[in-house]
Amino acid sequence: MKYDYLVVGAGLYGAVFAQQAKAAGKSVLVIDKRPNIAGNVYTEEMEGINVHIYGAHIFHTNNKQVWDYITQFAEFNRFTNSPVANYHGELYSLPFNMYTFNKMWGVVTPEEAAAKIEEQRQAAGITEPKNLEEQAISLVGTDIYEKLVKGYTEKQWGRPCTELPSFIIKRLPVRLTFDNNYFNALYQGIPVGGYTKMVANLLDGIEVRLGVDYLENKDELDALAERVVYTGAIDAYFDYKLGALEYRSVRFDTEVLDKPNFQGNAAVNYTDRETPWTRIIEHKWFEFGKDAQGNDLPKTVISREYSSEWKVGDEPYYPVNDEKNGALYAQYKELAEKESNIIFGGRLGEYKYYDMDAVIASALDMSARELN
C-alpha cells in the first residue's frame, strides 16, 4: 500500500477531503477521469474571462465554519446573484419581489401585491396542493406561475408541472420587499481568479492523476491505498446492477462574442416554453466585466443552457429525487454500507442535490469522523 487514501474525483468533496487528510499527515492520491481538476465547478479562462464550463456556480452560505475554511484557499468578490426573467421579451426581476409584482400588475405597495396573490390563490380554489402547478399557484398566483414558473420548470424537468411533485417548489422565494438578491445568505461571492484556482490551492502538494477512470482500473487502483473515498455515481460503482438512478442533464452552447456586453447581467432565465434554452449565462458579469487588473474587457462569453433527459454515459447534473429514485438509492446505500474500505461522498456518491457549501460541510464532517 503506497497511500493512506485514494480519492476518486477532484471536485469539491474530493479536494476538501484530500486537503484535510494531508493536513492530518496522511498520504493521498487523487484521481479524476476528466482531464482537469475541480469537477463541475471547473472554470477556464477565455478572453480574460473565467468561464463556468459546467454551468453557473455562485457560492453562498450562512455556515461560518465553511466560509472560514474555504476563504483560506480563495479570496471571494462581492458578486450578488440577481437574475432576470425574460418572457417573450418582457423582463422581470428574480426572485419574485416588489419589482416583479409592480411590472406584472402595476401594484406599488406590499399590501397591494399580497392582496393580488391572495385573490388569484382564492380564484384557483387550491387548498391542498397535489403537484408543482398547484403548489406554485398557491404561493404566487396564476399570472406569475404562467409567465415565470411553468415554461421554465417544464423545460428544466422535461415533464408537465402537473406531473412534478409539489416539494420541488416549496421554497420558492417570494418577497414583499424591493430585494432582488436571490440568496438569503450572509456570505456570497465568486472566487477571484475562478474556481479552478481555488481547487488547485486545496490540492496544493497532493499527488493528482488526471484522465484516470477508476471503475476501469479498480483492482489495480484499490491496491494502492488503505482506504478509498469515492465521489462518482453510486449506481455506476455497482455496475447499475439494481438499475440506473435518474438524473437531469444539461448541455451548454458556449460562444465568444466580439462585443463588450450581450445581456447586461450574469444570468437571464427564458421562462417561456417556446425558447429552447432555459437560460443564458454571461460569464464576465460574475467578475463585474473586469480582468484581473481591473480593466474593462472588450469581448464577452455567453453560454446557452439546454436541459435534457439523462442516459448512462451522459454527464449527470440533477438527481431526480422522487419516491421511485429515493427507494432505489436506499438499496444502493445498503450495498455501499457493506463495502468496508470505501467512503461514498458528494453529489453523485450520495445521490443528492448539494449546494457547494453543503458539499464542503459534508466533506469536512466526514474528514473529522474519519481522520480523528
Side-chain angles (χ1 to χ4, degrees):
M1 297 286 183
K2 197 175 168 190
Y3 303 92
D4 295 314
Y5 290 95
L6 169 69
V7 176
V8 180
L12 269 184
Y13 190 100
V16 169
F17 184 92
Q19 186 278 325
Q20 289 285 281
K22 180 179 180 282
K26 304 296 184 184
S27 55
V28 187
L29 170 64
V30 176
I31 62 168
D32 201 297
K33 67 180 178 185
R34 286 181 181 169
N36 53 267
I37 61 167
N40 278 10
V41 302
Y42 174 63
T43 49
E44 192 176 289
E45 194 181 303
M46 295 180 197
E47 303 291 340
I49 298 160
N50 293 305
V51 174
H52 297 216
I53 297 295
Y54 297 100
H57 284 83
I58 298 146
F59 194 87
H60 56 98
T61 189
N62 284 311
N63 185 328
K64 189 171 189 312
Q65 182 201 0
V66 166
W67 182 251
D68 289 345
Y69 172 78
I70 203 61
T71 49
Q72 298 172 84
F73 305 97
E75 180 189 352
F76 282 74
N77 69 19
R78 55 166 188 82
F79 178 80
T80 299
N81 188 29
S82 302
V84 169
N86 181 322
Y87 178 80
H88 293 305
E90 294 174 22
L91 300 181
Y92 293 91
S93 176
L94 295 176
F96 308 132
N97 64 76
M98 285 302 299
Y99 291 113
T100 324
F101 307 139
N102 173 261
K103 176 79 183 267
M104 185 72 72
W105 300 312
V107 297
V108 173
T109 68
E111 199 175 10
E112 290 172 310
K116 195 77 181 167
I117 292 170
E118 185 55 33
E119 176 194 317
Q120 296 194 352
R121 183 188 290 148
Q122 296 283 344
I126 298 158
T127 48
E128 295 232 347
K130 291 185 283 294
N131 55 46
L132 188 146
E133 178 171 291
E134 293 183 356
Q135 179 69 46
I137 291 170
S138 72
L139 287 171
V140 291
T142 42
D143 291 343
I144 285 176
Y145 168 71
E146 289 292 340
K147 285 191 174 185
L148 304 183
V149 177
K150 187 176 194 286
Y152 185 86
T153 306
E154 291 185 347
K155 285 189 288 191
Q156 198 174 25
W157 291 98
R159 32 185 77 72
C161 287
T162 50
E163 290 174 22
L164 288 165
S166 60
F167 73 78
I168 290 178
I169 214 158
K170 274 245 170 35
R171 294 197 313 276
L172 195 65
V174 178
R175 301 202 185 122
L176 296 174
T177 60
F178 290 91
D179 175 13
N180 61 350
N181 175 0
Y182 199 83
F183 300 117
N184 276 321
L186 189 54
Y187 308 106
Q188 181 174 317
I190 306 278
V192 174
Y195 284 99
T196 304
K197 181 179 168 188
M198 181 185 89
V199 175
N201 290 339
L202 280 161
L203 293 170
D204 186 37
I206 294 166
E207 187 181 346
V208 179
R209 296 182 198 170
L210 299 171
V212 177
D213 191 319
Y214 171 72
L215 296 176
E216 278 181 15
N217 308 277
K218 187 173 180 311
D219 293 343
E220 176 193 330
L221 290 163
D222 283 349
L224 294 176
E226 296 280 349
R227 301 269 280 158
V228 175
V229 176
Y230 175 80
T231 69
I234 190 169
D235 52 350
Y237 179 89
F238 294 105
D239 200 23
Y240 306 104
K241 68 180 181 185
L242 304 174
L245 290 162
E246 289 179 288
Y247 294 88
R248 292 293 292 169
S249 199
V250 186
R251 179 172 64 79
F252 302 96
D253 178 10
T254 297
E255 57 180 315
V256 177
L257 302 178
D258 197 7
K259 56 167 73 171
N261 193 348
F262 173 74
Q263 64 187 19
N265 202 46
V268 176
N269 293 3
Y270 285 77
T271 59
D272 59 89
R273 195 72 184 84
E274 294 71 31
T275 304
W277 52 84
T278 51
R279 62 179 179 174
I280 298 179
I281 299 301
E282 187 167 8
H283 300 268
K284 72 190 296 181
W285 303 122
F286 290 129
E287 300 183 55
F288 313 110
K290 310 282 187 189
D291 65 13
Q293 287 71 48
N295 304 311
D296 289 336
L297 291 156
K299 295 187 180 183
T300 195
V301 181
I302 64 165
S303 297
R304 290 181 176 84
E305 295 186 10
Y306 300 82
S307 185
S308 61
E309 282 297 327
W310 175 86
K311 58 187 185 305
V312 173
D314 293 345
E315 189 59 48
Y317 281 87
Y318 306 108
V320 180
N321 290 131
D322 59 13
E323 217 169 298
K324 180 183 81 171
N325 285 289
L328 182 55
Y329 168 67
Q331 291 177 269
Y332 274 121
K333 190 168 186 281
E334 219 171 285
L335 291 180
E337 281 161 1
K338 292 175 185 157
E339 300 280 309
S340 57
N341 275 347
I342 305 216
I343 295 164
F344 291 80
R347 182 177 56 96
L348 303 179
E350 298 172 65
Y351 193 63
K352 191 182 269 188
Y353 181 74
Y354 261 142
D355 282 333
M356 286 180 283
D357 65 325
V359 173
I360 293 166
S362 177
L364 289 172
D365 182 51
M366 174 54 75
S367 310
R369 281 183 284 134
E370 175 69 18
L371 300 165
N372 291 340

